[in-house]
Amino acid sequence: MKKAIIAGGAVGALLISALVIYIFFPGITTYIDVKINDPHINDTAEEYQRTDVPESFRTFSSRGIKLKMPEGSDKSRTGSSVSKDDEITVLIMENDSYQNALNQQRLAEDPDLDIEISTDQWESFLYDEETYRHFFKSMEAEYPTEYDAKSDILWFIKDGFTAKDCLKLRGRDKKVFKEFADVKEESVAYEDVYRIKGDGFFGYVCRMKKSISTKSMNYEERDSQFQWTYTIFPDDSTTKYYFVMISGENDDIKPQVISSIELDK
């Protein structure tokens, strides 16, 4: 009888402990889920380590960006790229997130265009806008909008949360967290992400680890010619940003070029 009472007391204590944990940490089941099924959930962008740039490199200016390239490089006639044969090509694009949103809205409303153009940033995700607004509020994070290029949802997924952040979440917020955790896992498999700070800007440098087969839409390992991207956000603007693509056969030159990139003030 005494043993039964002790056993019953132990079970009761465990149940109370579990209830207390659930009350104070309602997202504990989601936490366990992502820790098991999303092994890269705690990955965040590391600081990009700049490398030395050879003195023989020439300086080029293009689309608001200044960079250094190997001797023998040339700028394209449009001024949007600089390349040296098949060794390396750098493509520079200057963008404004708000203007992009306005242009997309105009295209979506154009009756002469026989194509569907969506202006819903959540179209490829699982839930509606109200659900995601509630999630970002619960996370005490900035809701991504076209008015702020730095708040892009992809950067939040790549660098905006870790497993412990779901412990305080309830209801559908936990489902959104799990959705983003799964997308983050796919992203980590696809590319490495680094954070970088420069004079008057910050940005993200991404090194692709895999390519996408357009026929099968599956990821395939790349053995060489790794492509890099560099997204730059000027400190003095919320909507303006630059997107730089670095590709080519010489993988040794790419980090040197990336390390040389700065705003053309």
Side-chain angles (χ1 to χ4, degrees), residues 2-203:
K2 187 175 181 180
K3 291 181 179 180
I5 294 174
I6 294 174
V11 171
L14 287 173
L15 290 174
I16 292 173
S17 298
L19 180 61
V20 169
I21 291 174
Y22 184 76
I23 290 173
F24 287 98
F25 303 105
I28 187 65
T29 54
T30 303
Y31 176 87
I32 295 171
D33 184 351
V34 297
K35 288 286 286 183
I36 294 174
N37 297 306
D38 299 294
H40 296 285
I41 184 65
N42 287 329
D43 287 11
T44 54
E46 299 179 2
E47 194 70 24
Y48 183 77
Q49 300 300 315
R50 288 182 171 86
T51 188
D52 292 335
V53 181
E55 293 184 4
S56 61
F57 276 27
R58 293 175 54 202
T59 299
F60 291 85
S61 294
S62 176
R63 308 292 185 187
I65 294 296
K66 189 163 61 176
L67 69 156
K68 295 184 178 180
M69 290 280 286
E71 194 71 35
S73 299
D74 292 300
K75 187 190 294 189
S76 66
R77 286 185 297 176
T78 62
S80 61
S81 66
V82 183
S83 62
K84 181 185 179 184
D85 302 321
D86 294 330
E87 280 193 71
I88 185 168
T89 295
V90 180
L91 177 65
I92 303 102
M93 288 171 275
E94 186 177 5
N95 292 280
D96 187 285
S97 58
Y98 182 61
Q99 286 301 320
N100 290 345
L102 289 180
N103 292 337
Q104 191 174 21
Q105 183 68 42
R106 293 191 189 102
L107 290 174
E109 296 173 351
D110 190 337
D112 296 328
L113 290 178
D114 191 22
I115 54 175
E116 290 188 8
I117 299 176
S118 175
T119 57
D120 180 8
Q121 67 174 330
W122 303 112
E123 183 179 40
S124 61
F125 291 84
L126 297 178
Y127 308 105
D128 57 21
E129 181 180 1
E130 183 180 352
T131 298
Y132 292 107
R133 284 191 178 277
H134 189 278
F135 169 80
F136 277 90
K137 183 177 181 180
S138 299
M139 288 283 290
E140 298 180 355
E142 183 178 5
Y143 183 77
T145 70
E146 65 270 23
Y147 307 108
D148 188 350
K150 304 178 183 70
S151 71
D152 191 288
I153 179 59
L154 292 180
W155 300 125
F156 175 79
I157 289 176
K158 294 172 188 289
D159 192 37
F161 60 89
T162 57
K164 64 180 178 59
D165 293 317
C166 74
L167 289 172
K168 61 185 178 182
L169 301 180
R170 301 177 183 273
R172 184 163 285 192
D173 288 338
K174 294 188 293 183
K175 294 182 179 180
V176 173
F177 188 93
K178 173 58 178 171
E179 178 190 14
F180 285 174
D182 291 343
V183 175
K184 181 177 182 177
E185 192 65 26
E186 292 181 9
S187 173
V188 170
Y190 181 62
E191 64 185 3
D192 294 319
V193 181
Y194 304 91
R195 195 183 300 108
I196 190 167
K197 186 76 177 72
D199 183 14
F201 72 92
F202 87 93

Side-chain angles (χ1 to χ4, degrees), residues 219-233:
Y219 292 121
E220 297 176 350
E221 292 287 353
R222 298 184 65 162
D223 297 324
S224 61
Q225 297 186 41
F226 289 103
Q227 181 169 290
W228 295 75
T229 63
Y230 190 173
T231 308
I232 299 169
F233 304 101

